[in-house]
Amino acid sequence: MRIAVIPGDGIGVEVTAEAVNVLRRVADVFGRQIDLETLPWGADHYLKTGVTIPPNGYAMLREFDAVFIGALGDPRVPDNRHARDILLGTRFELDLYVNYRPVQLLDDRLCPLKNRTTADVDFVVFRENTEGLYVGIGGRFKAGTDDEVAVQQEMNTYKGVHRIIRHAFEFARATGRRKVCMADKSNAMTDGHALWQRVFKELAPQYPDVEARHLYIDALALLMVQDPSQFEVIVTNNLFGDIITDLGAALQGGLGVAPSGNLHPGRTSMFEPVHGSAPPLAGKNVANPVGAILSAALMLDYLGLKHEAAAIEAAVKESVVTGNTTSDIGGKLGTRETGDYIAKAIHQT
Ligand code: NAD
Ligand code: IPM
Ligand code: MN
């Protein structure tokens, strides 16, 4: 198994080191060969060479079984050009249309909501990952003047909307979940989101075993806080999915613990924590590596190593429940010590 590893910037480097530490331990314990090949792409590399991603970069990534990314973003690159090429570029060029972001509370004490338990926060968000407001279609006219006009277009295609909503229903059916909620803003975005309405109404009847519900995205944000227990599978567009998965991360203990997968089922896919490079935390050994480590578990699960993935999840849970964590979720350990604790807690299941 060959994995491309792009640690990236800031705490991305530190949390990736711990995900790698855990993957090596899994390889040992389970007797697996997992080759991890580090690619240096990130802000430093860009500032040194002027190259964000080499011309054959996406083709290189496609040759791996999976790609792991830490985080990208650096104040020295204010236009975020390298993150656009490396992170968004990988999502687009590898056509990773499913952004899979499970929101699962691992311990009651991590939930910021009163009287909520692990039973109340356990849902999955499917964020459309290849179109919407992220396609970079737009422009600025008279930039920098008082007459500036800035246009950023949202692109919704039948194919794009169809494949992500279908994926949400198929996932619900395959995993025994009974509810899919589609969230859009079709009351205001009467063209782009009319397409989401049309496709949802077209697909829902094909899944009579699954309850299909629609919410406007603002109402969804409200209900995620008021009563997250009502959600099992949520599907939404690229930007709304970005925002509500930070909200989802808050429900499960913060950005430090939220994992994600960027998938094109059957093809080389990419895995990364939901959080960014957190420049104020970088280099201090304080960042929580759990989001990255759980992303590595999602990766192994996607690659068919179910027991290995479950062993990582169990080890993370043990560290969280026993308080052997970083300070953002109440522990006293550093990034490295948390990674070590989790690695040592990996056992054959
Ligand atoms: P961020 O996710 O880096 O940080 C948001 C907040 O969460 C901060 O308070 C931070 O300290 C905290 N946090 C994040 N990860 C943590 C962890 N592992 N442990 C403990 N606390 C953690 O988001 P931001 O500050 O909005 O963005 C910083 C940079 O990261 C920007 O350049 C942004 O574009 C980039 N970014 C990249 C990704 C990615 O690569 N996938 C995701 C989000 C943001
Ligand atoms: C995420 C991030 C990215 C996004 C940024 C860094 C472009 O916030 O993966 O959630 O908006 O997709
Ligand atoms: Mn985000």
Side-chain angles (χ1 to χ4, degrees):
M1 199 157 280
R2 283 179 69 236
I3 314 292
V5 178
I6 306 172
D9 306 327
I11 65 165
V13 176
E14 294 163 75
V15 299
T16 299
E18 298 320 312
V20 163
N21 179 7
V22 167
L23 285 168
R24 292 201 201 289
R25 165 82 181 164
V26 166
D28 269 1
V29 169
F30 287 83
R32 296 275 178 193
Q33 170 117 15
I34 304 178
D35 292 334
L36 300 156
E37 208 167 298
T38 302
L39 301 169
W41 308 337
D44 276 339
H45 180 259
Y46 169 59
L47 292 168
K48 260 184 232 139
T49 64
V51 174
T52 56
I53 180 165
N56 63 339
Y58 306 119
M60 275 171 69
L61 294 182
R62 279 188 211 104
E63 298 301 312
F64 288 89
D65 293 299
V67 180
F68 186 93
I69 297 188
L72 292 151
D74 188 300
R76 295 169 301 164
V77 189
D79 67 1
N80 217 22
R81 167 192 300 264
H82 69 302
R84 200 172 60 232
D85 288 356
I86 301 164
L87 178 70
L88 300 181
T90 298
R91 291 177 185 169
F92 290 130
E93 296 295 324
L94 274 62
D95 198 29
L96 307 176
Y97 65 93
V98 177
N99 196 325
Y100 170 48
R101 295 189 160 183
V103 177
Q104 189 183 18
L105 179 64
L106 293 178
D107 192 62
D108 296 352
R109 104 192 133 73
L110 298 192
C111 191
L113 305 178
K114 265 183 293 184
N115 305 324
R116 291 289 173 190
T117 68
T118 53
D120 296 317
V121 183
D122 186 5
F123 59 91
V124 170
V125 177
F126 288 110
R127 164 185 177 188
E128 200 294 318
N129 213 28
T130 50
E131 46 187 56
L133 266 163
Y134 278 70
V135 292
I137 301 178
R140 285 192 291 166
F141 179 52
K142 299 190 181 178
T145 74
D146 290 352
D147 294 320
E148 178 163 344
V149 178
V151 176
Q152 190 93 41
Q153 303 263 25
E154 186 183 277
M155 191 182 92
N156 298 280
T157 69
Y158 181 84
K159 173 184 160 187
V161 175
H162 193 275
R163 65 185 183 174
I164 190 67
I165 295 180
R166 186 170 50 88
H167 185 86
F169 277 114
E170 289 290 335
F171 176 89
R173 181 175 273 174
T175 60
R177 289 172 170 87
R178 316 210 60 84
K179 297 180 189 174
V180 170
C181 173
M182 188 277 277
D184 64 18
K185 191 66 190 170
S186 50
N187 48 353
M189 303 178 68
T190 48
D191 289 312
H193 293 192
L195 181 56
W196 282 76
Q197 287 289 319
R198 175 192 154 199
V199 173
F200 192 59
K201 286 183 184 137
E202 197 176 295
L203 284 172
Q206 298 175 26
Y207 300 86
D209 46 327
V210 178
E211 177 196 309
R213 177 186 190 191
H214 168 259
L215 284 171
Y216 296 120
I217 189 69
D218 45 351
L220 172 65
L222 172 88
L223 295 177
M224 276 175 66
V225 174
Q226 280 188 335
D227 179 13
S229 71
Q230 66 195 287
F231 298 110
E232 295 187 359
V233 177
I234 293 171
V235 58
T236 190
N237 69 32
N238 207 337
L239 182 65
F240 296 166
D242 177 46
I243 298 166
I244 65 158
T245 53
D246 265 37
L247 177 52
L251 299 177
Q252 60 187 139
L255 272 172
V257 299
S260 79
N262 299 255
L263 320 174
H264 185 125
R267 294 201 201 160
T268 300
S269 294
M270 184 267 277
F271 299 81
E272 52 166 353
V274 174
H275 66 74
S277 57
L281 304 187
K284 297 182 176 155
N285 193 38
V286 297
N288 193 337
V290 161
I293 291 169
L294 288 176
S295 301
L298 294 184
M299 178 172 77
L300 296 188
D301 188 76
Y302 180 79
L303 294 171
L305 302 184
K306 308 281 174 197
H307 294 295
E308 291 80 348
I312 296 179
E313 283 163 3
V316 165
K317 178 136 182 145
E318 186 191 320
S319 88
V320 169
V321 168
T322 58
N324 286 288
T325 68
T326 47
S327 60
D328 55 308
I329 54 171
K332 292 195 172 68
L333 301 184
T335 308
R336 286 189 291 273
E337 294 71 23
T338 302
D340 284 343
Y341 184 92
I342 293 169
K344 289 202 183 87
I346 302 250
H347 307 292
Q348 281 263 17
T349 46

